[in-house]
Amino acid sequence: METLTRKQKLFNFPVTKIIFALIAFMAFVVVGQQIAGKLLGLTALDKDIRNLFKGIIVSALAIISYSIFFKYYEKRAVTELVVKGLAKNLIIGTLIGFVLQALTVLVIYLNGGFNIIAVNPISFILIPLTVAFTIAIIEEILVRGIVFRIIEEKLGSYISLSISSILFGALHLANPNSTLLSGLCITFAGFLLGAAFIYSRNLWFPIAIHFAWNFTQSGIFGAITSGNEKTNSLLISKIEGSTLLTGGEFGPEGSAQATLFCLIAAIILLALSHKEKKIIKPYWKSSDFNNQL
């Protein structure tokens, strides 16, 4: 019985859960992506349509693998992916992401650094749309669903928010044209996304913010996103000026105003979460822990 108890403690240890979850999630998604790519490659579909279908398949695999893994590993209902309130979370999250990115570009425009050269057909948004929703789902499940949520159970909301946000920023340092400044900016974006999860206790809300932020930046305004190459977009634009305001080769999300807007939004969400008692305390401050002393 003692050996079983030790095994249970080991499997319930946060680092163990995170490692197993990451392995299971990535294996499921990567293998599924390869199979989907091979099968779609056998069709006569246009490349953009194939990529759209592959994005949908990969996103579905990410959601399914997360749900199945934690349903059996943690023996619970995966409430953070329930469809109840789905429309509300997606609509409000999308609006927040769009407004924050639009304000970021507006600052560049008011400083004479954003110029529209041409407007493309609406079909040009297909590629950035596919990329945006796929990345949003995968990154939010990895960082907020796995890392943040599991750490929060033991260390509480604020410590987990700090750790996961720094990790989110650090991961983007591997992107092309990244700098310490852009990494810091992405860290604050991660702070917002973590705050969105705390407030909603639902992954759809930060997924929607993340999607709209990226899609508005690359798919609508035609800007670079996270240092990657430009994709097709609704607007063909030219962005120039101070790196502090434009984000330089990393894109507008690496700008000072983007950081400020994300921080303001995060503070508002955390204030609302505090008011509604959604902040989780670290285990040493919990009533159960204190009762054991």
Side-chain angles (χ1 to χ4, degrees), residues 47-81:
K47 181 181 178 182
D48 289 350
I49 300 298
R50 291 203 307 269
N51 286 335
L52 175 62
F53 278 118
K54 185 163 73 170
I56 292 172
I57 292 169
V58 170
S59 299
L61 288 174
I63 293 167
I64 292 168
S65 62
Y66 177 90
S67 300
I68 292 174
F69 180 86
F70 284 110
K71 177 182 179 181
Y72 291 101
Y73 195 99
E74 296 181 333
K75 296 178 174 60
R76 66 178 180 89
V78 184
T79 56
E80 60 271 28
L81 281 174

Side-chain angles (χ1 to χ4, degrees), residues 68-293:
I68 292 174
F69 180 86
F70 284 110
K71 177 182 179 181
Y72 291 101
Y73 195 99
E74 296 181 333
K75 296 178 174 60
R76 66 178 180 89
V78 184
T79 56
E80 60 271 28
L81 281 174
V82 293
V83 294
K84 182 180 179 181
L86 176 63
K88 178 182 176 182
N89 282 309
L90 291 181
I91 292 170
I92 296 176
T94 299
L95 285 174
I96 291 174
F98 172 78
V99 169
L100 291 176
Q101 187 57 242
L103 288 173
T104 297
V105 173
L106 177 61
V107 171
I108 301 172
Y109 172 78
L110 292 175
N111 282 272
F114 182 83
N115 296 288
I116 298 174
I117 299 173
V119 179
N120 284 320
I122 194 71
S123 60
F124 275 57
I125 70 171
L126 190 60
I127 292 177
L129 182 73
T130 305
V131 172
F133 76 69
T134 305
I135 288 177
I137 289 174
I138 291 176
E139 289 189 356
E140 289 312 302
I141 286 178
L142 285 173
V143 182
R144 256 59 65 176
I146 297 176
V147 177
F148 171 82
R149 185 184 58 79
I150 293 174
I151 294 176
E152 185 190 36
E153 292 173 357
K154 289 294 184 183
L155 302 184
S157 298
Y158 290 124
I159 294 176
S160 181
L161 186 58
S162 300
I163 293 173
S164 61
S165 299
I166 292 171
L167 175 63
F168 190 61
L171 289 173
H172 283 76
L173 288 175
N175 287 22
N177 303 306
S178 65
T179 63
L180 288 177
L181 177 60
S182 66
L184 181 63
C185 294
I186 296 298
T187 296
F188 280 100
F191 198 76
L192 165 62
L193 295 167
F197 179 75
I198 292 172
Y199 177 69
S200 63
R201 290 296 162 190
N202 190 298
L203 281 170
W204 297 118
F205 191 41
I207 283 172
I209 294 175
H210 195 151
F211 158 76
W213 174 271
N214 281 354
F215 175 66
T216 302
Q217 186 172 213
S218 59
I220 296 178
F221 292 122
I224 296 169
T225 298
S226 300
N228 296 302
E229 292 183 7
K230 282 188 177 183
T231 64
N232 288 344
S233 57
L234 183 62
L235 302 177
I236 299 177
S237 61
K238 182 178 181 181
I239 298 176
E240 55 190 356
S242 167
T243 300
L244 191 64
L245 293 180
T246 65
E249 293 300 314
F250 191 79
E253 65 186 351
S255 65
Q257 71 272 19
T259 303
L260 178 62
F261 293 143
C262 286
L263 182 59
I264 291 172
I267 290 172
I268 292 172
L269 287 173
L270 288 175
L272 291 172
S273 298
H274 184 78
K275 182 179 180 181
E276 298 179 19
K277 303 186 185 305
K278 294 180 178 179
I279 303 295
I280 294 176
K281 297 178 181 179
Y283 76 90
W284 60 85
K285 288 187 177 181
S286 67
S287 56
D288 290 341
F289 179 79
N290 291 325
N291 291 334
Q292 294 174 8
L293 298 178

